[in-house]
Amino acid sequence: MAKKTSANSRRRPIDVVDAKVAVDLATAQTYSENVFLFVPNLIGYSRVVLAAMALHYMNYHPKYCTLAYTVSCLLDAFDGHAARALGQTSKFGAVLDMVTDRCTTSALLCYLASAYPAYAIVFQILISLDFSSHYMHMYSSLVTGSRSHKIVTSEVSRILWFYYNDPRVLFVICAGNELFYVALYLMKWVNTPLSTSLGLSVGYLEPYTWAEVMAMLCFPVCALKNVINVIQLWKASKILVGVDLAERAQAREDAKRS
């Protein structure tokens, strides 16, 4: 028998399952209850615009690119707070947030693959891992009735529970991961040694630029983030296989009764 899950992590299925009915509801929504205009979703749209600006400047203006990219990523920490504070959580907002994260990071990794051709396959693997782990995790959350992909119990995975349960941990790991990629981007533009930039001796860091130092500091966080992605992919795979086995067992029981 599967364990019963808490009421907090489950939501009763709604009656609207037909896609045409859902489209009609979205079309007929009023201004006062328009999910597209929820504050956290408006923040999400601004993230998309800033990410597009970062892509526009990425190849020739590193300052504007870095500013737009960083602000877009930082806003990710505010849309969730706004949703909870205003009572405007939505499935659309959750998916918009995840899709924006994946696409923004992947776009930067694509640039890094061209900037560092010897490591192109590494960046391609990172893109594939990021998309596959989050897609499978999101899908496994949906088929098991979870209200959010961020609701993970310690019984499923203590590591994922620790990662998703504490917003501070989630922010630090995600920020460190993005800062590592940004540092790799800036290393192509920053050539002045740290000692020259600061005008003082920095010991064994003397020959490095500040972008290289930033990359060295953030690399362990990036490595941890991708280990978590691997764990997330594996756990989601096991959940989906478990659902398959449960459904097959139920089908056999139904066949015996008929």
Side-chain angles (χ1 to χ4, degrees):
M1 290 289 290
K3 279 187 176 180
K4 289 186 178 179
T5 52
S6 64
N8 290 332
S9 62
R10 294 287 184 262
R11 173 177 292 173
R12 290 179 60 190
I14 58 174
D15 294 330
V16 180
V17 293
D18 183 84
K20 177 61 169 60
V21 175
V23 169
D24 290 342
L25 282 173
T27 303
Q29 61 189 328
T30 63
Y31 178 80
S32 61
E33 188 66 10
N34 193 323
V35 176
F36 287 121
L37 299 179
F38 280 3
V39 171
N41 295 338
L42 294 177
I43 295 174
Y45 306 147
S46 68
R47 291 188 62 211
V48 173
V49 172
L50 287 166
M53 290 175 61
L55 287 175
H56 174 73
Y57 290 117
M58 193 169 285
N59 205 38
Y60 68 94
H61 207 307
K63 289 183 179 179
Y64 288 170
C65 170
T66 303
L67 179 61
Y69 189 93
T70 303
V71 174
S72 177
C73 291
L74 286 175
L75 285 175
D76 187 29
F78 293 97
D79 54 3
H81 291 294
R84 289 185 292 273
L86 299 172
Q88 294 183 343
T89 57
S90 64
K91 290 179 175 63
F92 170 73
V95 175
L96 174 66
D97 183 54
M98 179 177 283
V99 169
T100 302
D101 288 340
R102 305 287 71 77
C103 292
T104 303
T105 303
S106 296
L108 179 54
L109 289 172
C110 286
Y111 178 88
L112 294 177
S114 63
Y116 300 93
Y119 299 96
I121 190 170
V122 176
F123 296 117
Q124 290 169 337
I125 290 172
L126 290 174
I127 292 172
S128 300
L129 175 61
D130 194 38
F131 266 103
S132 60
S133 69
H134 283 84
Y135 177 83
M136 291 190 73
H137 178 63
M138 173 72 84
Y139 192 82
S140 68
S141 298
L142 289 173
V143 298
T144 54
S146 180
R147 289 189 294 109
S148 169
H149 68 281
K150 292 183 179 180
I151 297 177
V152 180
T153 63
S154 58
E155 289 85 0
V156 172
S157 171
R158 291 184 179 181
I159 293 176
L160 293 180
W161 174 83
F162 184 70
Y163 174 65
Y164 281 117
N165 190 60
D166 191 331
R168 294 168 297 183
V169 173
L170 184 64
F171 175 80
V172 169
I173 293 178
C174 290
N177 181 64
E178 294 297 335
L179 284 174
F180 174 70
Y181 297 144
V182 169
L184 292 181
Y185 167 72
L186 291 172
M187 281 167 54
K188 283 296 183 179
W189 303 88
V190 180
N191 301 306
T192 306
L194 188 61
S195 56
T196 303
S197 300
L198 298 177
L200 50 85
S201 177
V202 289
Y204 69 91
L205 295 177
E206 192 96 16
Y208 300 104
T209 66
W210 64 265
E212 291 171 329
V213 173
M214 186 170 114
M216 287 187 286
L217 291 174
C218 294
F219 173 74
V221 182
C222 177
L224 175 60
K225 175 67 169 66
N226 284 284
V227 168
I228 291 173
N229 280 348
V230 171
I231 295 171
Q232 183 169 261
L233 177 61
W234 174 237
K235 291 294 183 179
S237 299
K238 291 183 74 174
I239 290 171
L240 291 174
V241 167
V243 171
D244 284 333
L245 291 171
E247 289 179 347
R248 290 171 67 85
Q250 184 62 53
R252 287 193 295 270
E253 285 293 324
D254 293 342
K256 288 180 182 178
R257 293 171 183 170
S258 61

